[in-house]
Amino acid sequence: MSSNHRSETGSTIAIRKPVFNSILRRLKENGYQTIGPRIKNETLVYEPIENIDELPCSYITEQKAGSFRLTQASHKHYFDAIPGAQSWKQFLFPPCVDLFTLRKNGAGWETSNSRIDSPGYAFIGVRACELAAIQIQDSIFMRSDFTDPTYRERRQRVFIVSVNCLAPSGTCFCASMGSGPRVKDGFDLNLTELDDAFLLTVGSELARNLLDGIEYEDASAFMLTTAEHALERAAQQMGRTLDVSDLPKLILKNLDSSRWKEIGERCLSCGNCTQVCPTCFCWDAVDQMSLDGKTTSRTRFWDSCFNPGFSYLAGGNTRPTIASRYRQWLSHKLGTWKEQHGTLGCVGCGRCITWCPAGIDLTEEVAALRKEAR
Amino acid sequence: MAAFQTTAVSTPRANHWLEPNWAEITAIANETSDVSTYWLKFVDPSMQANYSFKPGQFNMIHLPGFGEAAISISSDSGERDKIGHTIRFVGNVTRAVSRLKVGDVIGLRGPFGTSWPVEEMEGKDIFIASGGIGLPPLRPVIYHIMRNREKYGKVTLLYGARTARDLMYPSEYENWRQAGIDVEVSVDRSDANWPGRVGVVPMWFYQFRIDARKTVVLTCGPEIMIRFVIFEALARRIPLENIYVSLERNMKCGQGSCGHCQLGPYFVCKDGPVFRFDALQPYFNLEEF
């Protein structure tokens, strides 16, 4: 036991749960806005938190195709409730951002850039699948040949407290996608929740400095083994599985399957799946002009390949049918994404299954395509 | 905690990648009843001096209050003091463009995308098959060939439009012929005054002697025409790698970020609009893809 020892990067320590409040306080003192999961309107949202008691303690979520329920649990765990529709995407790639404003100036226009007024965020409770999703969006918005400044400005100031996921829900399949339930890298602090303590793995110099002088103990062999077993159990408890063995080839070889038409008859083309997906990155930009015609502001917002206008061309839409739009979405996620960005576009978080009003389940659809291809 | 720094600061945003530069309309040439060519010059002279593009590339033009549209550059890439865009008035932005006058200022971002392989195809016969509004993105190739005629073998332009009134740049055909380009024009529907060919572009292929070993095919036009042009080219044993296609898709950013123009693994705005056909083939015959 020690209170002024400095923990090393890569090492794992244990803290009593209330001590986590000191970490939240320190993050705040250092200018971070601490964001974590909270219960609101019978679901989980990501909002500012200042105290661990604001987290959904003693809750788990029951998730099925088209269904999300918060349920009381008998344990006193803070991080066992699998998130709702929201993901961290909304902070790094906000649903709506002002890009610039144009003001009429004689015959021409004067441009004034909007500023980023976002705080530095500290994300509290980033699950393995969600961290994998952030890393995927990093590779999209911060490519070597092109970086989106609106994303980079936000991303480079984020402090990530990730969490090993010990209570996967019915629509989870991160174990199939290789993105969870164990957090691998990319965090500042990684947390594993035991009954009476948090194990903390120090992932960055920033986190090491943050923990300086905090009250902690060394993680005992018993604690580490307990955590290890819990993680192994979680990997066995996934509500869904997805066989990725021959993806993306399976999808790309079956682009003319009749299955797409059949899905198109069930799909409402509402776009929920793309809005809740933590990796979906498509956006549109529009001009909004003031009534006097002297000022125009250009705004960027999330778009969806399920919107009929997404593929609008003067000669008609490229994808006029719902079947073609669903095929675009799935063949991108589990197919062409790989060639574009080096990974599949799915992390197995299950949101698109839970939040689909028609209960369409991509793991089922891939299995059906596989069966058909056989 | 000295090394732990405050990070919550407001930083100015560098949005240059989406901000338009301003260009003045210096001339407007009416091409057909719903197509005009707009000649633009950057308001900032140094920007004009530094601007260069390759044949086949496009710009995003921006009309404040209306938004952006992707328009291919139809002028000579060797011409440094003005940039031509041939625009069909068919969408929100382009219809608003039709109301602009000489002296008006519009926004411009670019150039974006891939270009026709004008250097790689030196020494080859060139067969250009184009329809309707598909000629403007190919006109820079024609100008390039005219300036470097000795570097190319036989050059043929097979061009078609719905009617004689829909043909682009008819007054230039004679110049092109005099520069050693075989210009063959066809219309889908003719009237009594039309002396030339009648029929869609792909059906004339059989009349041309095409040496499959040394011919490069460039094509742009309605996707249905492109489809049959490729069919005809392949039937003449022209290798996939010698066929180049320019495609049109909905484009918003020009940088492969917004996702609208995706075609399979490609972002047409950055991996296209000009594709070598072997890259496109797996996705090309899929309807609504």
Side-chain angles (χ1 to χ4, degrees), chain A residues 30-31 98-99 113 116-117 143 146 149 153 157 281-284 287 303 310 312 314 319 321 327 332 340, chain B residues 1 3-4 7-11 13-15 17 19 62 65 90 250 252 255-258 260 262 265 287-288:
Chain A
N30 284 283
D98 291 333
L99 295 170
N113 249 322
I116 291 183
D117 288 319
R143 294 197 321 249
F146 165 74
E153 289 297 321
R157 291 185 288 143
F281 61 84
C282 289
W283 54 265
D284 198 355
D287 279 14
D303 202 352
F310 186 82
Y312 167 84
R319 300 182 202 101
T321 60
R327 180 178 65 179
H332 186 211
Q340 288 174 356
Chain B
M1 304 259 291
F4 194 71
T7 53
V9 285
S10 182
T11 38
R13 185 189 291 179
N15 266 334
W17 65 294
E19 268 174 36
H62 190 168
V90 72
N250 186 355
K252 291 290 163 78
Q255 321 247 19
S257 170
C258 78
H260 285 85
Q262 287 178 85
E287 257 180 75
E288 302 184 350

Side-chain angles (χ1 to χ4, degrees), chain B residues 108-283:
Chain B
L108 207 58
R109 291 194 295 127
F112 295 117
T114 55
S115 54
W116 300 106
V118 288
E119 275 136 30
E120 294 90 318
M121 67 192 195
E122 283 176 7
K124 300 272 176 55
D125 288 354
I126 315 299
F127 193 92
I128 302 172
S130 174
I133 195 76
L135 189 56
L138 280 159
R139 189 165 70 161
V141 177
I142 295 168
Y143 292 143
H144 179 92
I145 292 173
M146 287 165 77
R147 271 189 285 108
N148 301 276
R149 187 64 190 89
E150 71 290 350
K151 292 184 181 163
Y152 301 94
K154 200 164 73 176
V155 180
T156 310
L157 167 66
L158 172 58
Y159 176 56
R162 273 170 297 185
T163 71
R165 277 201 298 267
D166 296 311
L167 291 166
M168 298 285 124
Y169 321 127
S171 63
E172 294 188 51
Y173 301 163
E174 205 38 52
N175 284 346
W176 298 352
R177 288 190 180 108
Q178 277 170 18
I181 297 172
D182 179 14
V183 180
E184 301 291 338
V185 181
S186 180
V187 297
D188 298 353
R189 291 188 305 278
S190 68
D191 58 21
N193 299 322
W194 175 251
R197 297 168 189 269
V198 180
V200 295
V201 164
M203 67 171 266
W204 295 113
F205 257 70
Y206 77 97
Q207 289 198 335
F208 296 89
R209 290 174 62 95
I210 297 174
D211 185 342
R213 290 164 306 173
K214 57 170 192 169
T215 299
V216 173
V217 173
L218 312 180
T219 183
C220 182
E223 221 159 293
I224 186 73
M225 182 212 79
I226 293 178
R227 223 170 274 269
F228 284 99
V229 162
I230 288 166
F231 184 80
E232 295 291 341
L234 294 178
R236 272 150 196 80
R237 301 284 187 273
I238 294 174
L240 303 181
E241 312 84 69
N242 289 348
I243 302 172
Y244 290 83
V245 182
S246 180
L247 289 183
E248 187 188 18
R249 281 292 182 277
N250 186 355
M251 295 179 191
K252 291 290 163 78
C253 71
Q255 321 247 19
S257 170
C258 78
H260 285 85
C261 66
Q262 287 178 85
L263 172 66
Y266 308 119
F267 294 94
V268 174
C269 69
K270 129 179 121 67
D271 305 314
V274 177
F275 291 94
R276 213 171 78 171
F277 185 65
D278 51 339
L280 274 188
Q281 198 190 31
Y283 312 102

Side-chain angles (χ1 to χ4, degrees), chain A residues 267-317:
Chain A
C267 172
L268 308 173
S269 202
C270 70
N272 265 16
C273 49
T274 58
Q275 307 295 286
V276 299
C277 177
T279 69
C280 270
F281 61 84
C282 289
W283 54 265
D284 198 355
V286 289
D287 279 14
Q288 284 168 300
M289 193 176 249
S290 61
L291 283 175
D292 63 7
K294 287 179 180 156
T295 316
T296 286
S297 58
R298 192 150 176 85
T299 310
R300 184 173 97 165
F301 58 91
W302 289 355
D303 202 352
S304 166
C305 52
F306 285 93
N307 287 338
F310 186 82
S311 61
Y312 167 84
L313 266 188
N317 286 1

